[in-house]
Amino acid sequence: MASSPCGNSNFDSGLEIKTRSVEQTLIPLVSQITTLINHKDKPKKSERTLAAIHRVGQAVSVAVGRFVAVGEAIATENQELKDEMGQACFEARRAGDAIAQLTDVGAALPSQSDGRVTVFSDRTGMVKAARLLLSSVTKVLVLADRIVIKQIITSRNKVLVTLDHLERVSTFQEFVQIFSQFGNEMVEFAHLTGDRQNDLKDEKKKARMAAARAVLEKCTMMLLTASKTCLRHPDCESARINKDAVFHRMRCALEQVIEIVTEARSCGENKILPASIYNGIKDFKSSVECLRENLYSFPPQSMDSQLEALVERTEDFTDSAYTSHEQRQAILGLCQLARQDTQQLVHAWVEAQSVHAKEATEDMEVAILKTCQSVSDLRRELHKVAVCRASDLLKVHGEQLPLRALKAAGAEGNLEAVAEYSRTLTEQKEQLVETCRLLCHVSGTEPLEITCIHAEETFHVIGPQIISAAQTLALHPSSKIAKENLEVFCEAWESQLCDMALLLREINDVFEGRRGDKRPYLSLPRPGKHSANLKTAKAVKLDAEEQTSMAKLGLELRLLSSDVDTEVEKWEEQEHDIVRQSQSLASMAYNMYLFTRGEGLLKTTLDLFHQAEVLSEEGLQLCSSLRTFSTQLVDEEKSVVMTEMEKLVALCQQLQMGAKTPVQGKTATFQKVDSSIQTTRGILTVVLSLLPFCNKLNRKYKSERSSLGSPQDWRERQDASTPVKEEGALNSKNSNGFGVKSLEQHMAGLNLLESK
């Protein structure tokens, strides 16, 4: 009876979960089904066990029924998915009914032999039903996800149509009308793509989406001023070039968003991640260290060719005109040392093969260590060169001398001076583009590589746009709109320099074993603090076997810290104490995860225990913030927050006491490490449950407070505090989403243009 509804297994193929929302929806169902399948098959079952199994089975059936009802409603609204969704819902309902039938054991005793098939007598049927249920529910979710993708595509198509209309307008009146529609459509697109970006599991796709959305945000304001300038000066060639470049970049960014959500591959897809030196060194070291396991996995000659390919990539550093002679010699020297160490390794390797050795010889082991050390030294030198170059450039360009000179020359109508300062800006642009390329080589993670590529492309594009805007102003020095347009492009350049400074900090953090978080955190105790048990505790390093046993627990810690970061990003008030302290907890938990991998700043168990003490103190500070936050809540809401807060207090105190308790011996130390990480996991779990609830309440009460004053009063307060700029000049620092909020400032001034 149970196996009959489970004959179709086609749902298992081709279903890949790509978003967190689908994954999180499946977790409770997987947990309940696992409980049913993994029940202990004892000869004698208590009434309590039978009742529990019956209860879980019925809960699964009811949940599936509700879930299928929603799926069927979605199918009705989306005819193109009706057949697929209907089939998936049918299979899910059938599997849910089968599970309910198999778990209908509430009144069945083990001694009964009435012929009824149950989970006890047909375990295989239960497994089949469970598999079908999971695959069909997953398919329903994936199909529902297609609708989200369809919404993004539809929104993009609307934006593209309006963009085409904007490009062809010839009067200010028509432009104002169409741009108002464009702004509303961009708001919708911003919300849809922002939600999708946060939901993506793949960090590379998330980084690419962030880059595309950043382009759209900046280009929206550029499009406004560039179009206004072109309308005011229709015969100006430089104004037309400036405008065309903005429209082209916006279309490319819109296309990139669609490529990401639909997973389409454009002809330029392979250029997204060029081979970086960091990845080359990582792969090379992996090949070298694999020799310890297998001496015959690949020919010795391939090691030399792999190193030469790596050395060839360093030419981006050594061939640069901006690399000093000393830096160039240091890089070339380290490359030569790596070659020598690799040749010694290959020689020892060939000798080991000639005697049919089954594992790495002592000479090979020494050569492996030396080779890995030499390429690590090379990476360190390249990192130093790239980071120093970037830091120096940021200091020099922070003064913005060419931009100020271009603005002044344009306002004076001095075309010769504009040409001279344009050459200076072009040289700076080339330096920044090359530096971004070097940073990409040493960035350390694929998302940061993508961010480096985005920065490189942004400097490459905005530089010429600033020059064309300056040329337009020089041709029309009395034009306020041409002046405003140049200001917008200069602000975009300055904004990208700020982004580059943040990128540089993140690359440094990754190199030093940190993640590059948005806010600083206390990753290690300060000297003189938390040193009470330094004399009673002995620093210990985990061996390979212990690190392996900790890997699973550490991975859970990493996932939790990532989820906390995701929830924190959803808060509008990023300076809120709850946000700041939660981020700090996630950062320190990530350090503890790196410890389980033998990486990062925490080198010994003593470092780990110190980190645990600091984490517990930060957790107690978070409890204090939660208590303050709860004072504005009503009884029911306050009760929920206080209950979770009490759990958090208990866990933090437990972690603090455990970290301070001295232990002796390797076994006791390992148990203490295990306990510290498990308690930290519990702390993050509570924080993760609190963040979305508190965020919802914070928005609710903030909205209620803001509604106490009338819109007119609010508008008057805004007008009193905000200086008015002619023609709605852009203030990019007040932009939100795609900068759409600040568009309203420009919309108000558009109807005045014809009179200016």
Side-chain angles (χ1 to χ4, degrees):
M1 291 174 64
S3 58
S4 60
C6 305
N8 186 354
S9 61
N10 293 334
F11 291 104
D12 292 326
S13 61
L15 294 179
E16 182 185 354
I17 299 173
K18 301 180 178 67
T19 58
R20 291 178 182 272
S21 55
V22 172
E23 186 178 67
Q24 293 299 316
T25 304
L26 286 171
I27 286 174
L29 182 60
V30 172
S31 176
Q32 288 179 319
I33 290 177
T34 303
T35 300
L36 292 175
I37 293 176
N38 292 341
H39 74 274
K40 294 181 179 178
D41 206 4
K42 296 178 181 178
K44 207 168 187 181
K45 292 48 174 206
S46 67
E47 290 184 8
R48 183 177 178 183
T49 300
L50 295 173
I53 291 174
H54 176 72
R55 188 166 57 250
V56 173
Q58 293 304 307
V60 169
S61 179
V62 171
V64 169
R66 292 173 181 164
F67 178 81
V68 166
V70 174
E72 289 170 342
I74 292 173
T76 303
E77 295 172 2
N78 298 270
Q79 291 298 313
E80 70 276 14
L81 297 178
K82 187 174 182 179
D83 292 341
E84 281 186 278
M85 184 71 88
Q87 178 66 15
C89 289
F90 172 76
E91 296 292 351
R93 192 187 295 278
R94 199 155 59 135
D97 291 342
I99 288 175
Q101 184 177 335
L102 286 165
T103 54
D104 187 17
V105 294
L109 295 175
S111 60
Q112 287 181 327
S113 56
D114 58 2
R116 279 200 301 134
V117 179
T118 70
V119 67
F120 303 117
S121 60
D122 190 5
R123 189 184 186 89
T124 302
M126 171 59 87
V127 171
K128 287 182 178 179
R131 284 178 177 168
L132 179 59
L133 179 60
L134 285 176
S135 63
S136 55
V137 166
T138 302
K139 182 153 191 179
V140 171
L141 290 169
V142 171
L143 289 171
D145 191 58
R146 277 196 216 166
I147 296 168
V148 176
I149 294 172
K150 177 186 170 186
Q151 289 174 336
I152 294 175
I153 294 172
T154 302
S155 178
R156 186 283 307 257
N157 291 341
K158 287 196 297 183
V159 169
L160 275 179
V161 170
T162 311
L163 201 61
D164 290 340
H165 291 162
L166 271 177
E167 195 170 19
R168 294 195 301 267
V169 297
S170 57
T171 66
F172 278 106
Q173 185 177 3
E174 185 183 7
F175 178 78
V176 170
Q177 181 181 356
I178 297 177
F179 194 85
S180 177
Q181 176 187 341
F182 176 75
N184 293 331
E185 291 170 353
M186 286 299 289
V187 169
E188 178 191 3
F189 192 69
H191 290 158
L192 290 172
T193 54
D195 291 342
R196 188 68 180 181
Q197 179 183 322
N198 290 331
D199 200 23
L200 288 171
K201 289 173 59 183
D202 189 307
E203 292 298 326
K204 288 197 300 182
K205 291 178 183 175
K206 189 176 285 191
R208 289 186 63 211
M209 180 74 89
R213 294 180 76 245
V215 170
L216 291 171
E217 178 181 348
K218 291 174 181 175
C219 281
T220 299
M221 301 312 302
M222 295 176 188
L223 181 145
L224 176 60
T225 57
S227 297
K228 285 159 59 178
T229 304
C230 223
L231 286 170
R232 172 54 59 204
H233 309 290
D235 299 326
C236 183
E237 180 67 11
S238 57
R240 185 193 60 77
I241 291 172
N242 186 259
K243 170 190 163 185
D244 289 349
V246 177
F247 275 88
H248 174 73
R249 197 160 185 235
M250 284 204 78
R251 289 192 176 97
C252 289
L254 288 166
E255 191 60 33
Q256 181 172 325
V257 169
I258 300 306
E259 286 174 14
I260 295 165
V261 298
T262 61
E263 299 191 316
R265 292 184 177 274
S266 69
C267 57
E269 175 77 9
N270 294 330
K271 297 180 181 179
I272 290 297
L273 285 182
S276 71
I277 292 175
Y278 171 81
N279 286 328
I281 289 176
K282 183 180 175 182
D283 293 342
F284 180 75
K285 288 177 70 176
S286 177
S287 299
V288 169
E289 289 170 343
C290 279
L291 295 177
R292 293 189 174 107
E293 307 296 329
N294 189 347
L295 298 180
Y296 306 94
S297 55
F298 52 91
Q301 295 77 13
S302 64
M303 189 71 72
D304 282 325
S305 59
Q306 191 176 359
L307 178 66
E308 287 308 314
L310 171 61
V311 169
E312 186 178 345
R313 295 176 206 169
T314 65
E315 291 175 1
D316 281 347
F317 289 79
T318 55
D319 291 354
S320 170
Y322 306 109
T323 301
S324 70
H325 176 72
E326 292 77 11
Q327 291 172 334
R328 187 175 292 108
Q329 289 303 112
I331 293 170
L332 292 173
L334 288 168
C335 288
Q336 186 58 31
L337 180 60
R339 286 192 181 101
Q340 293 172 2
D341 290 338
T342 302
Q343 288 169 1
Q344 290 178 5
L345 172 59
V346 170
H347 180 70
W349 184 5
V350 171
E351 283 190 350
Q353 287 185 335
S354 66
V355 297
H356 306 291
K358 294 183 179 180
E359 58 184 19
T361 62
E362 186 176 338
D363 287 346
M364 272 194 70
E365 184 62 37
V366 171
I368 287 172
L369 292 173
K370 288 179 65 179
T371 303
C372 289
Q373 184 60 48
S374 60
V375 292
S376 294
D377 291 343
L378 175 60
R379 181 202 167 196
R380 188 176 295 106
E381 180 63 27
L382 294 172
H383 175 87
K384 186 175 82 172
V385 171
V387 167
C388 287
R389 168 89 63 81
S391 299
D392 292 344
L393 278 179
L394 288 171
K395 288 176 185 175
V396 171
H397 296 174
E399 299 177 3
Q400 306 299 337
L401 295 179
L403 296 185
R404 292 210 294 264
L406 273 173
K407 291 176 191 176
E412 294 168 359
N414 190 338
L415 283 168
E416 290 183 3
V418 165
E420 179 185 346
Y421 293 123
S422 294
R423 286 191 291 271
T424 304
L425 183 67
T426 300
E427 184 179 350
Q428 285 194 355
K429 179 207 73 176
E430 294 300 331
Q431 290 179 356
L432 288 165
V433 165
E434 183 181 284
T435 302
C436 290
R437 200 172 297 136
L438 300 188
L439 287 174
C440 184
H441 274 304
V442 300
S443 56
T445 69
E446 288 183 325
L448 286 179
E449 285 181 33
I450 291 169
T451 308
C452 289
I453 293 169
H454 166 67
E456 177 186 341
E457 291 172 348
T458 300
F459 285 123
H460 185 74
V461 171
I462 293 183
Q465 288 179 312
I466 291 174
I467 292 171
S468 62
Q471 290 169 344
T472 302
L473 178 59
L475 291 169
H476 307 279
S478 61
S479 172
K480 293 181 179 179
I481 181 56
K483 182 178 180 181
E484 179 191 352
N485 188 46
L486 178 57
E487 285 284 353
V488 167
F489 283 96
C490 289
E491 285 177 9
W493 178 276
E494 293 165 9
S495 172
Q496 190 56 51
L497 285 175
C498 293
D499 291 345
M500 186 175 175
L502 293 174
L503 173 62
L504 184 60
R505 191 184 74 184
E506 290 183 352
I507 290 172
N508 262 328
D509 285 344
V510 169
F511 183 78
E512 294 170 7
R514 303 190 297 270
R515 285 183 301 168
D517 295 276
K518 294 179 181 177
R519 289 180 175 77
Y521 61 92
L522 188 60
S523 61
L524 285 174
R526 297 191 186 107
K529 193 177 182 184
H530 313 294
S531 57
N533 57 351
L534 281 175
K535 295 182 179 179
T536 56
K538 183 180 179 181
V540 176
K541 284 191 176 183
L542 296 184
D543 59 30
E545 183 179 349
E546 289 167 336
Q547 282 183 0
T548 301
S549 67
M550 297 301 300
K552 183 175 181 296
L553 191 58
L555 183 60
E556 293 174 3
L557 209 57
R558 183 185 74 82
L559 293 173
L560 280 169
S561 64
S562 177
D563 288 340
V564 169
D565 282 340
T566 300
E567 286 299 329
V568 158
E569 288 174 0
K570 296 176 182 177
W571 281 63
E572 295 176 358
E573 295 180 45
Q574 286 292 304
E575 295 302 322
H576 199 290
D577 285 344
I578 292 176
V579 169
R580 180 173 48 78
Q581 289 154 355
S582 297
Q583 277 188 321
S584 182
L585 289 173
S587 301
M588 289 186 275
Y590 189 83
N591 264 357
M592 296 172 79
Y593 152 71
L594 290 177
F595 173 85
T596 66
R597 292 170 52 89
E599 301 171 1
L601 293 174
L602 310 179
K603 304 299 183 184
T604 68
T605 53
L606 192 57
D607 293 337
L608 180 77
F609 301 146
H610 284 164
Q611 182 75 99
E613 281 189 57
V614 179
L615 189 148
S616 66
E617 290 178 2
E618 189 71 6
L620 292 172
Q621 288 293 323
L622 175 59
C623 292
S624 178
S625 298
L626 288 167
R627 186 176 287 106
T628 303
F629 176 77
S630 67
T631 57
Q632 64 181 320
L633 308 180
V634 297
D635 291 344
E636 185 177 346
E637 296 167 345
K638 185 174 183 178
S639 175
V640 174
V641 172
M642 294 301 290
T643 300
E644 292 300 308
M645 189 204 72
E646 287 169 5
K647 293 180 188 176
L648 190 58
V649 169
L651 286 167
C652 289
Q653 290 174 344
Q654 178 184 336
L655 180 63
Q656 196 171 54
M657 291 300 296
K660 289 181 177 179
T661 303
V663 293
Q664 298 294 333
K666 193 171 184 180
T667 302
T669 302
F670 178 74
Q671 289 173 347
K672 183 176 175 180
V673 169
D674 181 78
S675 174
S676 296
I677 294 178
Q678 292 216 41
T679 307
T680 301
R681 180 185 61 180
I683 289 172
L684 286 195
T685 302
V686 175
V687 171
L688 191 58
S689 69
L690 276 166
L691 278 171
F693 184 67
C694 291
N695 187 19
K696 179 181 176 182
L697 295 176
N698 190 50
R699 286 201 304 266
K700 171 186 171 184
Y701 286 98
K702 183 180 177 183
S703 175
E704 290 177 357
R705 287 195 300 270
S706 63
S707 65
L708 293 177
S710 68
Q712 182 64 33
D713 291 340
W714 180 84
R715 199 174 293 114
E716 287 173 357
R717 289 196 297 271
Q718 289 292 101
D719 292 341
S721 61
T722 306
V724 178
K725 294 187 179 181
E726 288 186 353
E727 296 184 26
L730 169 67
N731 183 0
S732 62
K733 293 180 182 177
N734 293 332
S735 63
N736 186 32
F738 285 162
V740 178
K741 274 190 176 180
S742 56
L743 296 184
E744 297 170 1
Q745 300 171 16
H746 295 266
M747 299 305 299
L750 283 174
N751 58 351
L752 303 176
L753 287 176
E754 291 181 328
S755 63
K756 292 187 179 182

